[in-house]
Amino acid sequence: MLSSLSLIAFLIWIASCQQIPIYSGQKTPLGVPWQGDAIAVSKAIYDTDILPFTDHSHEDPPWLGLSLDYKHVHPILEQLNSSDAPLLSRQEAHITVITPPEYTVLSQAEVTMDQINAIALENDIQSCPFELICIGRVHDKGDDVYDLIVIPGESLLHIREDVFRLYVSQGGNPSYFDPQMFRPHVTVGFTKTDLFDGVYKGINTCHRPIKLI
Ligand SMILES: *[C@@H]1O[C@H](CO)[C@@H](O)[C@H](O)[C@H]1NC(C)=O
């Protein structure tokens, strides 16, 4: 009995030490058919810890993000691009961790970007692990938006939870900001413009699988 329990514990330990494999099911994680072949993604896309933290406090409105190296995202865009539906790109890549509308709510309790950036740096935001699940596509209003859909590790959620505690400690209304309402993604490109209103960029949008190279 004891030995089978320790074997299970050992197998869990082995699994947790290995790099999480990319999702590779025959269907999307929600069990609907893929709409195309796998898109190649360089493993180096995960090496975000070698990039500096980027401060977005002087943008209007400000936001918090984890920077990715665009040079690993551009080849993804090239695989999705076509002359039938040419894609536009912002030529940069990031995972938004606190969105501009969320910052607007947080600022009502005098939460500042200096405080949010300090929490991000204490939690070493550029080293926070995440997993890429699929290429997501939002098709709405005659526009197509392609994203890498991300499952966050615990530490990215911790940043949002630390921000939540700060917001509440400064008198913020807890019902206006939910740290767990988080659908991280990396915008790859779009035919017209990025879309936010009324769409959820989670595994619900999984369109094509990815393969790490
Ligand atoms: C996508 O392809 C079109 C040509 O088919 C090209 O003009 C455009 O620059 C490409 N988009 C990007 C972001 O490279």
Side-chain angles (χ1 to χ4, degrees), residues 48-49 66 123-129 155:
T48 54
D49 56 333
L66 187 171
N123 284 278
D124 200 1
I125 186 169
Q126 284 298 128
S127 301
C128 287
S155 45

Side-chain angles (χ1 to χ4, degrees), residues 70 74 77-78 81-91 188:
Y70 182 72
H74 189 74
L77 182 139
E78 286 182 320
N81 199 9
S82 72
S83 47
D84 292 345
L87 295 176
L88 305 169
S89 147
R90 293 200 198 93
Q91 312 285 320
V188 175

Side-chain angles (χ1 to χ4, degrees), residues 103-122:
Y103 177 72
T104 302
V105 167
L106 296 166
S107 65
Q108 282 154 15
E110 315 288 332
V111 173
T112 66
M113 275 311 291
D114 281 352
Q115 289 175 310
I116 293 174
N117 284 344
I119 288 172
L121 291 171
E122 278 161 24

